[in-house]
Structures are given as structure tokens and as C-alpha cells.
Amino acid sequence: MKVVEPQEPKSHGDVSGEATPQFPLIPPPPAPQTPVNAHIPPPAPQQIPPQAHQHPQMPNPPQGYPVSPAPVPQVPVLPQPQATYPEQPVQHSYPVQQAHPQAYAQDAYAPAPPHMPPLPPAPPRNPAAVAYIRAIFSPRGFATLGWIAGAVFAAGLLSALCLLGSLNAAGEGVGGALSLDFGGLLSALFVLLGGSFGGGLVVDGNVDAGFVSASAAAALSIFPLGALAAVAAAVALITKLRMRSEMPPAPSTLTELARAAIEGAAVALIMTMITGFASFGGGVSDFIGVRIHARPAMVFFVLLALITVTLFLARESRRRLQLAQAEGRWARVIREAGRALAVQGTIFGVLALVAIVIVAVKAESFGAFFALLPLLGNVAAAGAALGHFGGITLGSSLGIGQLGMAWDLMGGLSIVLFVVALLSLVMTAGVVGLRRPRTGRLEWNRVWQMPIVVFGVWCLLSLGLVGISLSGSASSFGGLFGFGSVGLSWSTPFLMGLAAGATSIAAEYVPLLAYRMNPALLRAFGGKQTINVWLYGVEPAGYVAAPALSPFPDPAQPHVVTAPSAASVSEQPVLQPPVHGAPAAETPQFQDPMVQNPMAASPQAGGLAPIHPPAPMSKKGKTGLIVTLSVVGMLVVLGGGLAVTVNLLNQERDPAAQVREYLDALAAGNADRAGELVDPGIKTGDRELLTNETLASAQQLIEVVDVETTERSDYGATVLATYSLDGERFEYTFTLESGPKEMVFLDSWKLSQPLLVEASLQSDSLDVLTVGASDVSLDGDDTYGMNYQRTVYLYPGVYEITAPETEFIGTSTEEFRAIPSFEYGNASAQTVRITSTPSEAFEKEVLSQVQKRITQCVEIPTNMDKVCPSITRDKDLAELKVVSQAKDFESISLDSFRGAEAVIAVRSNPTSYNKDPELRESTLRVRGDIEIVDGKPEIKDISIDTGWW
């Protein structure tokens, strides 16, 4: 039975209530004389309460919405058969002009017929949607837009302040690095605000030194999920607060999405104008300039997508609740996936916050804490991925490589991630399962959808929302380009999807198992009303399936309401569009008597049939389950305790301890122990100076200052050692390899990098040198005048290098500082050259040999030697003698000499022609080489020069 409300005739498209011209219509034909249902007695009139025509849940629409006339109570009548009549053309009240030209000519001067009045404008196709969209530009709509923009700006500003504070706390803030004034710091704040909105950072640099110029650019892309989550939370909060006093809900989902997109675009455009055109920087030096700014396009599109989705989801659920519309097909799935991700994000977010605090305390820097706060979501997502056996990848221009899994990056502490991941799976299963209708069996038709949505979300996160990427380019004489990124591995979405599938299946059993063990355990998964709904089968408030009723009725359609029966009219209100113009009423909350008293409702009373709560577990079954869970829990606790204990023990087995033991042996002069700890890795013949005798004879040895592990993984470690030598400090980096496990779990480290110094010993004349207390034989080598040379290896220290003392040779003494300034094998050998000088005895010995040689030239038969002067090489001589011997040297060294002047004289035998020959004198000088034979100098390769030269 229907009640038809009569309405005043209105023209088509009249939505304002104003009178419009009416055209005369052909009157309808008369009704049949005899009603078809005349034999049926008329029923008694039913009284419909006035409130049945009003919808208590619908607030008043704003001004400008279509208004229907107030309903007039009518007595319901039986439906009458309606006859169908053919449509007739509209009859106008003025004559119609004939089209014949002759008739037109005769009536040319006749009075013109009256003009037809203009037709009213065509109404919009969906007046309710148009009115809803127009309300955005009303004062109330602008106020909502302002609140949303303010919330977005406040959330982003908080993140930007954290980033700016971290730079200043690090001691190299933007103000100090680029000498920014207050205006520059304000620009830097706006740039970091754009980075907090996902715009990243772009650094443009240029070098102009006159003769050379170059430019470079680097772009940092990162989506700070912590800052973006804060923006989404602020927008959702403002939206829910404003919905209490806003217009009625949108007439359709598409209209709601359109409004969210318009408001999202407006706010994104405002934030882009604030942040996209700010930049800061300046001249780092006289030749280098740097400018830093965000990317406006990224700011706009990121905020557009984020705000649009947040506004739509916040309003759409309330719209369906107010209109009592049934949920969409995937609404439950999306809601379950959202709950699963929220629970997972909350648990790993708390863990990430604890990790950030630990990192900041360990680094003794508040800057690290503030810098990582906007990235809290990224850290939480990375932790969740690692806890589900995902990985972190490192990509670059050269390729993509695996940075590591949880056990690679965290070692024994990775067990914490796995335990937290397991707890989050159980918690998520309870939260999701408690909100599913209880059936007592596995419902496959509602299990498979949630993992698909979770898989899609993690695909987006793995494609770059979690990671960090850096790209750069430079141009000068040529072009250079490169990029690098850190993100989630390709397997992470699949692993998270599998985990979501396991969670969805577990959601069918976890609430039931928790209830049967102890009903109080359900409070960990939901509130009292949610628990009652799961126990007794009552649908949650606002999700009652009912026909969709629009709050914006079409004025051209009759207002039809289905009359309820007399038995139920007093118990069930009839959902009906509200009476526009009436005071707005708050939406009443759904109250079902079964929530308070589940067994009080009955189908005959108009309620839903209750279901009985699950039977409690038997005492024997509960005892067995408790024992099983206790054993599993104890195993987990023992495993976790064992992992923590092993981790603590492994922390004590620091790689730095092995490096310190090695350095302590060198500092004590114990070369043998150092060789046992670290094999020198050189040939046995080259180890003659790596002995206790040599190391103990050093003038000074190293002193260990500090040894610290800088990097550590399951594959190796890096240790930085600081030591001093002769009052000067030095640093050296050791690389250790992971050794075999001791007692199955304990780490061991292998130091295979010795602390050696390569030295090249050279001598100009001696083939034996002394290093400390050890003699070293050199190899003959005349290359580049080195004479004797050899490469040796020493432990760090200060050594005295000289040559053995002899009667004829004096040598220099050199102090050699053996300092490993570079890593072993990458530095060239340090050179030590020992020079020798002839002693006085050496000169006397050489001078004696020179004088002897001169004397031999005036004695027979040696006067005929080729080295002697030609004046003495004569057999017909009466006299040969040395007038004056060489008393000194013009020059002398260890390998050559040039003697001073000597004079000899000869007299020929008398002949018939010369009875008394004269004594002839000749001046000469002896020169030659010197060779050390058996420790004594010997001259060789001598030559005697006569005359003037």
C-alpha cells in the first residue's frame, strides 16, 4: 500500500519553487464509468504518524538544494487501473502562420501574431550532485577547505622542523654550511617542507674558475612515510570533525570522489605554491655555488593522491551509514586489509621508534633522532619486510645487488624481528577475525581477497615508496650521469602477500580459540560491542542492508512511501527522505537490544535471530591447549633468550679485541707472537727482520691508543686502530674475515692483514747494512747508481740503519720511521740510502799504492808497462828516478781516485853524438778505480797522464 502525496504542478526543471508559465494541455479523457474494483469494499483509513514522513537521520540541506513541498497526510487508497492514452500535441493559443508564400504576401501588413514565450532552461541531469559540488564553494565549504589546508601545513611543518633541527644538531646545519641569514633559513624550512610532502630535494651546483667551468645536479627522491602518515591522520581528523556540521551526504559515490578530488587539488596547489618555488643556497667558495630546492610537480601529485584518498575514505563510510546503504562488494575486503596494515604498522612502528632512540643514543646525537622521525614509516616498513624474510637491495648505475637479509644486517638481533612479525600475525588475525561473522568453519570465499589487497599495497611500497634514490649528472667537457637507490627486494610483496594469506586463514580460528581458552582474551582484539556482535551474530551499527534512499528527491516525481503494517508500525520506523527545512537532527546510533540482552530479541518482534556463543572448551582440552601453548611459548622464550645470550657473547667477542691483541704484541716487541696471530703473508727469505731481535732493538715501538669496530656483519668486520709512534698519532684500518663458529653459535674472527712496512735499503759501496741489531745482505745493482739494493719488511717502529764499522770506510747512520701510512700492498716502499766515505786510513792505503805504481815506472823491467809514461819505456837509459812523489789526491772516493802531481826523470846513455846526455824530467798524475777486496781498498784500471792537462 502506498500513500501518494499530491504536489502542485511545476514546470519541468523548476527547482527553485518559483511560478513559471504553464501551457494549456489537452485534458485527459474521462475515467471509465464503472470502476474495476467497485465490488471491493473500501478499507478503513489508516492513520500514519507524521514522523513517518520524516527521516530522523537526515540533516537539513544547505540553501540552494532542491526543496520538496511539505507532505500532506493522505488516506491511502486502493490502486486504480489507469488507461493508456496516446500523446497529443500541445495546442497553442495563438494562430499558426501558414507556410504558403501567397498567403504570407496577403497578410504582410496584418498584425503580427503574438510571440511564443521562451522555454525555461534545461535542468541539470543530476541536480542533487550539482548542488553538492556547488556547496564546496560556499562559506562553509571554504571553511572546511581552510581547515584541511591548515592541518596539512601543520603536519608538514612539524616534519620540516625536525629535519632542520637535525641539521643544526649535527653541527653542519644549512645555516652554518651556506652562511644563511634569517630569510635563508626560512627558505630552507619551506624547501624541507616540500621534501616532507614527498617532493624530494634537488641540488644544483656550478663551478666557474675563469679558465674552466662546470655544472652538476643531484636529485634525492624519498617519500617520508612518517610525515605523510601524519598528514593523512590530520586530514582524516579534520574531516570527521567537520562532518558533524556539514551538508547532507553526497547522493552517490562518484559525487563524493569528485568533491574529494577538487578539495585535494586545491590544497595540493596551495602547498605547491608555498614550497615549490622556495630555494636556498649560495656561494660555498669564490668559485663554487650551490642551490637547493624541492620538486613542485612531485609535491602536487603526492598531496593530490594522498588528500583525495583520505577525504574519500573518511566520508564514504559515513555517507553509506547515513543513507543506510549496503556496503560495496570490496568494502569489507579493503577494510580488513586496512586493519591488517594498521596493526602491522603500529607494532613495527613502535619497534622502529625504539630502534631510532637506540641509534640516537649510540651516536650521541639528537640530530639523528630528529632526522629519522619523518622516516619512521620507512623504517617500520623496512623492519616489517625484514621480519617476513624480505630483503634490502642496493641499486646503482652498475646494476642491482642484494644488500642483505635481516640476519645479514642485524646478526643475532634479527630474531627480535622474527618474533615481532609472528606476534603481529597473531594480533592481526585476532583483530580481523573478530570482525567477521562467526560461522565455526573455514569460509574460503572470504579468505582469499585480503591477501590480494595487501599484496598490491606492498607492490607500491616496494616500487619506491619505502626506499631512497639518488641520481646525479655533471657537465663540463663531457657528460656524466649516475644513480643509486636503496629499497625493498622484489620478493617482499610476495612474502607479505603469503603472510597476509596465513593471517586471513588464522583469522577464522584465532578469536574462537582465544574465547574458548578465556573470553577475556578477546578484549585484546576489540571492544565490548565488537565482541558481542561476534558472539551473538548481530550486524554492526549502520550496516543494515536497506534500499538506498537519496536525501535529494526529484521534485518532478511523486513522494511515495510504503505504508507499514499495523503490527509493526510502532516498532520499526520507515526510512524516508527528510523534510527539508526542518531542524537538523543528530544521526541516532544504532541500538540493538541483543547487544545488551542477546536472547531478548526474536524474529517475530522484528529483530534478528540470535546465535548461541561458542561452547567453552572442556577442562581436559583447555589443559592440553595450555600445556601445548606453554611449551611453545617456553621454546620461543628459550630460543629468544638463547639468541639474546649468544648475541651478547658475540658482542663481547668483538673483532677489535683480536686487533688489540695483535697491536699489543707489536708494542711489547714480541714479533714471534705477532707472527702467530697474523701470518705476514710474505716469503720466508723476506722475514729475516720480523724477529724479536730486530723489533726489540728498535729505538721506539708503537703505543696503542684506541681500537674500535666500525662495521660488522656475518661475513666480516672493519676495525679502526689508533696508535702513536714517536709522539705522533696514526690511524690504520684493519679488515677481518668471519671465521668458523665456535661452540656452534659463537663468532670467531680471522685477521689476515698484517701491519707491515715495506722498505728499500740502498748503499753506494757496501753490500751489508745493519738494521737495528740485524745485518742484512744487499744485492749488487748498478741501476741508477744504487750499487747495492734490497727490499725488506719491518714491523712499525723507529730503527737505526747503518753499515758495519771497518778500518778503511766510514758510513752514515740513518733513522728510519717505519710507519704504515697506507694499507699493506697499496703503498710504495719507503727508501733508505746509506752513503759511505773513505777514511784516513783508506786514503793512506790508496796513496801508498799510487806511489808504489809510480816507483814501478822508474824500475826495470816494470818501466816498460803500458801504463807508464812513454819517457820511461826505453831500454837505452842510463838513469831513471822519481824526482817527487804524489803527496795527496786531487779527488778520491770509495770507487775512484785522481792523484796529485808527481815528477820523474830519466837520462839516456852517452853516444858518439852526445857524450853527456841531460837529465829529462816529466810531470805525471795517476788515476784509476778502487775496489774493496777483503775489506781493503785496491786500485785497478789505473792510467798515468803526463804533460799538461
Side-chain angles (χ1 to χ4, degrees):
M1 182 181 299
K2 297 183 179 180
V3 179
V4 180
E5 299 181 2
Q7 298 184 3
E8 297 179 3
K10 290 187 178 182
S11 63
H12 182 68
D14 183 13
V15 295
S16 62
E18 299 178 359
T20 55
Q22 302 295 322
F23 301 112
L25 302 175
I26 298 176
Q33 297 295 331
T34 304
V36 177
N37 57 349
H39 60 282
I40 300 176
Q46 298 182 6
Q47 300 296 329
I48 300 177
Q51 59 270 21
H53 296 278
Q54 303 179 6
H55 199 299
Q57 299 181 0
M58 302 302 167
N60 291 331
Q63 186 175 0
Y65 277 25
V67 180
S68 60
V72 179
Q74 298 291 335
V75 177
V77 295
L78 293 177
Q80 299 293 334
Q82 297 183 0
T84 303
Y85 301 97
E87 296 184 359
Q88 299 293 333
V90 178
Q91 300 294 331
H92 300 281
S93 59
Y94 51 86
V96 180
Q97 181 67 40
Q98 300 295 328
H100 197 279
Q102 185 177 1
Y104 178 80
Q106 294 178 357
D107 297 339
Y109 297 97
H115 294 284
M116 183 177 65
L119 295 175
R125 299 179 62 181
N126 193 339
V130 173
Y132 184 79
I133 296 299
R134 286 179 178 175
I136 301 175
F137 306 99
S138 64
R140 187 182 298 273
F142 282 126
T144 300
L145 193 64
W147 278 103
I148 295 174
V152 172
F153 182 80
L157 184 63
L158 183 62
S159 174
L161 288 174
C162 288
L163 294 175
L164 188 61
S166 67
L167 294 177
N168 292 330
E172 296 180 0
V174 292
L178 297 175
S179 302
L180 299 177
D181 54 7
F182 176 77
L185 289 176
L186 191 61
S187 299
L189 184 64
F190 285 146
V191 171
L192 295 177
L193 179 63
S196 301
F197 289 149
L201 294 175
V202 178
V203 180
D204 296 324
N206 60 82
V207 178
D208 188 3
F211 59 91
V212 62
S213 62
S215 62
L220 175 66
S221 298
I222 182 172
F223 295 93
L225 297 184
L228 296 178
V231 170
V235 171
L237 178 62
I238 292 298
T239 303
K240 289 187 176 182
L241 293 177
R242 293 293 298 173
M243 281 193 302
R244 299 177 180 178
S245 60
E246 276 192 348
M247 62 189 75
S252 65
T253 300
L254 186 60
T255 307
E256 194 70 83
L257 181 61
R259 178 189 178 185
I262 293 174
E263 292 178 336
V267 175
L269 182 61
I270 294 173
M271 296 300 116
T272 302
M273 295 177 64
I274 294 176
T275 63
F277 302 100
S279 64
F280 70 97
V284 178
S285 65
D286 296 336
F287 309 107
I288 303 176
V290 175
R291 300 298 301 177
I292 303 175
H293 60 88
R295 290 177 291 186
M298 289 297 298
V299 173
F300 178 80
F301 286 112
V302 170
L303 288 182
L304 173 63
L306 180 65
I307 298 174
T308 299
V309 172
T310 304
L311 291 175
F312 174 74
L313 294 179
R315 289 173 177 156
E316 177 63 14
S317 59
R318 185 177 178 87
R319 184 188 74 84
R320 290 183 176 273
L321 177 65
Q322 290 180 334
L323 299 182
Q325 292 183 352
E327 288 184 333
R329 185 175 182 180
W330 285 83
R332 179 190 62 82
V333 179
I334 296 176
R335 189 166 59 252
E336 285 186 355
R339 289 195 182 104
L341 293 172
V343 172
Q344 192 177 62
T346 301
I347 294 176
F348 279 95
V350 174
L351 183 63
L353 184 60
V354 174
I356 290 174
V357 173
I358 294 176
V359 169
V361 172
K362 193 171 182 179
E364 298 181 355
S365 171
F366 287 104
F369 175 76
F370 288 117
L372 291 175
L373 274 183
L375 303 177
L376 182 63
N378 304 69
V379 178
L386 293 175
H388 290 82
F389 302 98
I392 304 296
T393 59
L394 177 64
S396 65
S397 306
L398 304 178
I400 298 177
Q402 186 82 7
L403 188 59
M405 312 290 283
W407 48 86
D408 299 327
L409 302 176
M410 301 179 60
L413 289 178
S414 59
I415 190 67
V416 177
L417 281 180
F418 301 142
V419 172
V420 172
L422 181 61
L423 293 177
S424 69
L425 188 149
V426 175
M427 190 69 183
T428 304
V431 171
V432 173
L434 192 63
R435 287 156 180 81
R436 288 179 178 175
R438 180 170 57 86
T439 61
R441 61 183 181 275
L442 179 60
E443 298 288 346
W444 288 105
N445 58 349
R446 65 181 184 184
V447 167
W448 60 270
Q449 297 95 334
M450 187 187 79
I452 295 178
V453 178
V454 173
F455 170 77
V457 172
W458 277 97
C459 282
L460 293 178
L461 295 176
S462 300
L463 288 176
L465 294 183
V466 173
I468 302 174
S469 63
L470 177 65
S471 61
S473 62
S475 62
S476 179
F477 300 104
L480 298 175
F481 176 79
F483 70 90
S485 63
V486 177
L488 302 180
S489 63
W490 64 269
S491 61
T492 298
F494 297 95
L495 294 172
M496 300 305 294
L498 291 176
T503 302
S504 186
I505 294 175
E508 301 287 312
Y509 302 103
V510 170
L512 181 61
L513 184 62
Y515 176 79
R516 301 182 95 182
M517 289 183 59
N518 189 347
L521 295 177
L522 292 179
R523 297 179 182 176
F525 306 137
K528 182 178 180 181
Q529 182 177 358
T530 304
I531 295 174
N532 288 335
V533 168
W534 180 80
L535 284 175
Y536 306 112
V538 180
E539 290 291 342
Y543 291 98
V544 179
L549 300 177
S550 173
F552 308 102
D554 190 351
Q557 299 296 329
H559 194 166
V560 180
V561 177
T562 303
S565 63
S568 61
V569 69
S570 61
E571 300 180 8
Q572 296 183 355
V574 179
L575 298 179
Q576 176 180 330
V579 178
H580 300 285
E586 294 290 336
T587 302
Q589 299 296 325
F590 181 87
Q591 299 291 339
D592 196 294
M594 291 191 298
V595 174
Q596 304 298 332
N597 187 8
M599 304 306 297
S602 64
Q604 291 80 6
L608 298 176
I611 61 176
H612 293 281
M617 187 177 296
S618 64
K619 186 176 182 180
K620 182 178 179 181
K622 183 181 295 186
T623 302
L625 182 61
I626 291 176
V627 171
T628 303
L629 293 179
S630 299
V631 172
V632 173
M634 289 181 62
L635 291 177
V636 172
V637 171
L638 289 177
L642 178 62
V644 173
T645 303
V646 170
N647 183 72
L648 292 177
L649 292 176
N650 285 330
Q651 291 296 330
E652 293 296 328
R653 301 169 70 88
D654 192 357
Q658 187 165 353
V659 175
R660 179 176 287 276
E661 183 181 4
Y662 177 65
L663 295 178
D664 288 341
L666 295 179
N670 194 346
D672 295 340
R673 175 58 179 167
E676 293 176 359
L677 293 174
V678 182
D679 183 56
I682 57 178
K683 295 185 298 183
T684 305
D686 295 334
R687 302 185 183 191
E688 58 181 313
L689 295 180
L690 304 180
T691 61
N692 288 347
E693 181 183 6
T694 303
L695 188 59
S697 64
Q699 293 180 344
Q700 292 188 26
L701 297 176
I702 64 171
E703 295 180 6
V704 182
V705 177
D706 186 30
V707 181
E708 180 183 4
T709 301
T710 56
E711 294 183 12
R712 179 175 178 175
S713 68
D714 288 346
Y715 299 103
T718 302
V719 177
L720 179 64
T722 304
Y723 63 92
S724 65
L725 182 62
D726 194 19
E728 186 178 359
R729 285 196 175 190
F730 303 93
E731 290 184 349
Y732 193 84
T733 302
F734 291 90
T735 302
L736 289 83
E737 299 177 355
S738 177
K741 294 288 185 179
E742 298 179 0
M743 300 177 62
V744 182
F745 298 107
L746 299 181
D747 294 336
S748 65
W749 303 97
K750 181 180 180 182
L751 180 59
S752 57
Q753 182 180 355
L755 191 64
L756 297 179
V757 178
E758 184 179 1
S760 176
L761 302 182
Q762 300 177 5
S763 174
D764 56 357
S765 59
L766 301 177
D767 58 355
V768 177
L769 295 180
T770 301
V771 179
S774 303
D775 293 337
V776 180
S777 299
L778 307 184
D779 301 326
D781 187 358
D782 289 334
T783 306
Y784 306 111
M786 291 186 296
N787 304 114
Y788 299 94
Q789 185 269 344
R790 184 179 175 184
T791 299
V792 297
Y793 297 92
L794 296 166
Y795 285 124
V798 179
Y799 298 89
E800 183 181 86
I801 300 178
T802 184
E805 294 184 359
T806 64
E807 178 185 0
F808 301 102
I809 299 176
T811 58
S812 63
T813 300
E814 300 291 338
E815 183 182 84
F816 177 59
R817 295 163 57 88
I819 301 173
S821 56
F822 300 93
E823 292 186 4
Y824 169 66
N826 294 334
S828 58
Q830 303 180 40
T831 302
V832 180
R833 184 175 180 83
I834 301 298
T835 59
S836 302
T837 58
S839 64
E840 184 177 354
F842 182 92
E843 293 183 1
K844 288 181 179 181
E845 177 64 24
V846 173
L847 182 60
S848 173
Q849 295 179 24
V850 170
Q851 291 175 350
K852 183 178 179 180
R853 178 72 264 189
I854 295 174
T855 301
Q856 289 176 351
C857 288
V858 295
E859 293 178 351
I860 298 173
T862 55
N863 66 316
M864 299 301 294
D865 292 344
K866 293 182 179 180
V867 297
C868 294
S870 59
I871 193 175
T872 65
R873 294 195 301 270
D874 191 352
K875 296 181 179 181
D876 189 18
L877 295 176
E879 183 181 1
L880 291 91
K881 66 177 182 180
V882 177
V883 178
S884 62
Q885 277 284 7
K887 303 263 192 315
D888 200 354
F889 296 95
E890 291 186 358
S891 63
I892 187 173
S893 65
L894 293 175
D895 55 2
S896 63
F897 68 93
R898 184 176 183 181
E901 182 180 281
V903 179
I904 62 174
V906 297
R907 189 188 303 271
S908 299
N909 289 323
T911 63
S912 56
Y913 298 100
N914 186 3
K915 301 291 184 181
D916 187 17
E918 294 181 354
L919 187 65
R920 293 177 294 162
E921 294 183 354
S922 176
T923 302
L924 57 86
R925 291 179 177 85
V926 180
R927 61 180 178 177
D929 297 332
I930 303 174
E931 182 178 359
I932 306 298
V933 179
D934 296 333
K936 295 179 61 177
E938 292 184 1
I939 61 175
K940 63 178 182 177
D941 300 333
I942 61 175
S943 62
I944 299 177
D945 301 326
T946 59
W948 300 97
W949 66 91

